[in-house]
Amino acid sequence: MSRELQVRKELAAAFRWAARLNLHEAVANHFSMAISDDGQLFVINRAGTHFSQANASGLVTVDTAMKGDSLQYGVDPTAWVLHSYLHRNVAHAKCVLHTHMPYTTALACLKDFEFLMLDQNASAFYGRIAYDRHYAGMALDPSEGERIASLLVDGKDVLFMGNHGVMVVGESVAQAFDSLYYLEKAAQLQVLALSTGRPLQLVDDETAALVAKQTREYPGVAVLHFEALMHILDNECPDYAK
Ligand SMILES: [Zn+2]
């Protein structure tokens, strides 16, 4: 199977599972994955396609150098601004996932909030999260794409977009989707714990850093997770791969 075909199949699986997990929002939100070594050629969802109906052949392949109205090649304008600049300017952003998933977005909207090292899942994100506290409206202008991309420095692979949502990037669809999944699980736990109003027992910095390292080095965890998800789709709705 060609690299592009494999990426299309994996991205379609990510869309299907994002819909199943209610991480999506209407036909907004967007996932993309590079298919060239320099990261400039990438596959992204077609504007107007619901995540639950995404399939491999329905996705769009575009180049960061493309000019003009993105809708003429099937890509939502804000998706184009955000993803083209991330693929262009952030070397480690091979896969770019953008959602308004509810628990993470709720936390991103709290004033001066920093993700809590509350449990093992949260600790996996120690040192990985950047924060955008300067929401500037919908990302329709190239300057907004450039600004968002400039925040994912020092290897950060998660961006809490205040008053908006979240951006998760990774080296592969499997790795980025695994991060997206665990981020929302950890955020849900934080919202629940904060809702009790009781004092929180946080993991200390040293232990959280250790957990982040252990997670990073744990053998094959993201790949095994994603293969299991694809296996379910292969059985239940194989049309995603068509
Ligand atoms: Zn958005």
Side-chain angles (χ1 to χ4, degrees), residues 37-40 86-95 152 170-171:
D37 289 336
D38 65 3
Q40 304 305 298
L86 278 155
H87 285 293
R88 192 178 301 167
N89 295 350
V90 184
H92 63 282
K94 296 288 188 282
C95 183
L152 280 173
E171 288 292 329

Side-chain angles (χ1 to χ4, degrees), residues 105-145:
T105 303
L107 295 178
C109 293
L110 301 180
K111 188 172 172 58
D112 297 328
F113 182 81
E114 289 201 8
F115 203 54
L116 300 166
M117 295 299 106
L118 184 62
D119 71 327
Q120 181 167 287
N121 289 341
S123 299
F125 291 92
Y126 183 84
R128 294 171 54 189
I129 302 176
Y131 299 87
D132 174 19
R133 306 195 195 281
H134 302 283
Y135 176 65
M138 292 178 83
L140 292 166
D141 190 86
S143 64
E144 182 65 0

Side-chain angles (χ1 to χ4, degrees), residues 7 11 13 25 38 48 60 72 84 87 99 101 120 129 143 169 200 203 213 216-217 220:
V7 162
L11 265 188
E25 193 168 79
D38 65 3
V60 186
Q72 70 191 357
S84 66
H87 285 293
T99 74
M101 52 191 192
Q120 181 167 287
I129 302 176
S143 64
V169 307
L200 303 175
V203 177
K213 180 174 182 291
R216 200 165 52 244
E217 294 172 355

Side-chain angles (χ1 to χ4, degrees), residues 25 28-30 78 82 98-100 161 164-165:
E25 193 168 79
N29 298 171
H30 6 92
T78 60
L82 292 170
H98 172 62
T99 74
H100 305 161
M161 304 166 80
H164 183 177

Side-chain angles (χ1 to χ4, degrees), residues 4 8 35 41-44 59-63 66 73 75:
E4 177 170 356
R8 281 173 171 264
I35 53 169
L41 199 61
F42 63 95
V43 177
I44 190 166
L59 304 175
V60 186
T61 297
V62 284
D63 191 303
M66 288 165 85
Y73 35 91
V75 180

Side-chain angles (χ1 to χ4, degrees), residues 43-73:
V43 177
I44 190 166
N45 43 319
R46 183 176 292 279
T49 302
H50 196 273
F51 277 24
S52 66
Q53 306 213 303
N55 66 350
S57 60
L59 304 175
V60 186
T61 297
V62 284
D63 191 303
T64 60
M66 288 165 85
K67 300 269 187 258
D69 179 4
S70 68
L71 277 172
Q72 70 191 357
Y73 35 91

